[in-house]
Amino acid sequence: AQSVSQHNHHVILSEAASLELGCNYSYGGTVNLFWYVQYPGQHLQLLLKYFSGDPLVKGIKGFEAEFIKSKFSFNLRKPSVQWSDTAEYFCAVIAFSGGYNKLIFGAGTRLAVHP
Amino acid sequence: DTGVSQDPRHKITKRGQNVTFRCDPISEHNRLYWYRQTLGQGPEFLTYFQNEAQLEKSRLLSDRFSAERPKGSFSTLEIQRTEQGDSAMYLCASSRQDYSGNTIYFGEGSWLTVV
């Protein structure tokens, strides 16, 4: 079955540190890839998405992610985090296989940024 | 803003009671999804509608759960004879497939506590 793995469950950083959150998925066909963010007490919001084309995608708030097909990875990066980036981050995949069309989430990574 | 709206936002119910959640998707979105999220986990897929047709149901959706989307607009998720294990956040999402892919937008969720 298709699955999404996020390697880090908890990450603690100081402001201005660089961030990279890992995401791997298990599916060999066409995929749409997403990163969602959930700030404390708020709903899931889309950070960025990859459908096709340039594998380096830029999202909101200075985030970017790189799709590496050979590694089945879609890691999220930000060069310099801020305290306001404290949130939970979810990687998600839509795998296209006939009628298979649902968004599968990873378990999430909790990011805490200290001032 | 006509985002995905869910009602009620919070529900506390006694074990054995029935509960119903409503979801109003973004207008013109023909796809509607229900997910469940528990603390420390990513959202888990429950079911998916395209217009009024329920196209897929997760094995997580036991016989006590039923979802409808009678006119292809709003949807309801009913849980009968609630159990403590049903306590979770129930998320609704909607999307519209377009030429560039399928971006799914989430509502703020309905918290269910079964006591």
Side-chain angles (χ1 to χ4, degrees):
Chain A
Q2 289 80 356
S3 64
V4 179
S5 298
Q6 292 183 240
H7 313 299
N8 312 100
H9 294 295
H10 292 93
V11 173
I12 301 173
L13 294 173
S14 298
E15 276 194 315
S18 64
L19 170 72
E20 180 160 2
L21 301 182
C23 172
N24 286 88
Y25 63 93
S26 64
Y27 183 68
T30 301
V31 292
N32 287 172
L33 299 160
F34 306 81
W35 276 96
Y36 285 85
V37 61
Q38 191 168 29
Y39 298 103
Q42 296 188 27
H43 65 288
L44 282 165
Q45 299 173 41
L46 182 67
L47 261 185
L48 48 77
K49 61 188 178 185
Y50 171 80
F51 290 161
S52 63
D54 188 345
L56 184 62
V57 292
K58 295 191 183 299
I60 60 172
K61 305 185 180 185
F63 286 90
E64 64 178 30
E66 184 175 13
F67 170 49
I68 303 179
K69 189 173 181 180
S70 61
K71 295 185 178 180
F72 299 91
S73 70
F74 190 56
N75 292 353
L76 181 71
R77 299 194 292 249
K78 185 171 184 178
S80 176
V81 294
Q82 301 172 312
W83 176 80
S84 58
D85 293 325
T86 295
E88 190 155 18
Y89 293 81
F90 294 95
C91 180
V93 173
I94 293 177
F96 293 94
S97 174
Y100 198 96
N101 199 26
K102 56 182 177 275
L103 194 60
I104 304 296
F105 284 86
T109 298
R110 276 190 192 276
L111 172 66
V113 180
H114 294 301
Chain B
D1 179 2
T2 57
V4 179
S5 63
Q6 294 187 241
D7 182 70
R9 295 288 315 282
H10 299 89
K11 178 73 176 178
I12 300 174
T13 191
K14 291 183 178 179
R15 189 175 52 187
Q17 298 294 305
N18 299 344
V19 297
T20 299
F21 300 112
R22 176 183 169 118
C23 171
D24 287 273
I26 294 171
S27 60
E28 299 179 359
H29 279 192
N30 62 341
R31 296 180 175 185
L32 187 146
Y33 310 79
W34 285 99
Y35 283 78
R36 181 172 69 188
Q37 185 177 17
T38 53
L39 286 174
Q41 300 294 320
E44 298 172 293
F45 171 80
L46 292 179
T47 191
Y48 152 59
F49 291 84
Q50 181 150 317
N51 300 312
E52 65 274 10
Q54 188 173 19
L55 297 187
E56 191 168 351
K57 290 172 61 173
S58 164
R59 284 171 291 178
L60 293 174
L61 218 63
S62 75
D63 291 345
R64 297 184 297 104
F65 287 71
S66 62
E68 295 182 342
R69 195 182 183 197
K71 297 182 179 179
S73 57
F74 74 92
S75 175
T76 57
L77 176 70
E78 182 183 18
I79 308 174
Q80 296 181 324
R81 304 182 303 282
T82 52
E83 301 173 357
Q84 287 187 321
D86 297 331
S87 295
M89 166 93 87
Y90 290 86
L91 294 165
C92 180
S94 70
S95 73
R96 180 184 65 187
Q97 178 82 26
D98 59 28
Y99 69 93
S100 66
N102 186 22
T103 301
I104 298 175
Y105 297 92
F106 284 83
E108 296 190 356
S110 293
W111 272 110
L112 173 65
T113 302
V114 181
V115 297

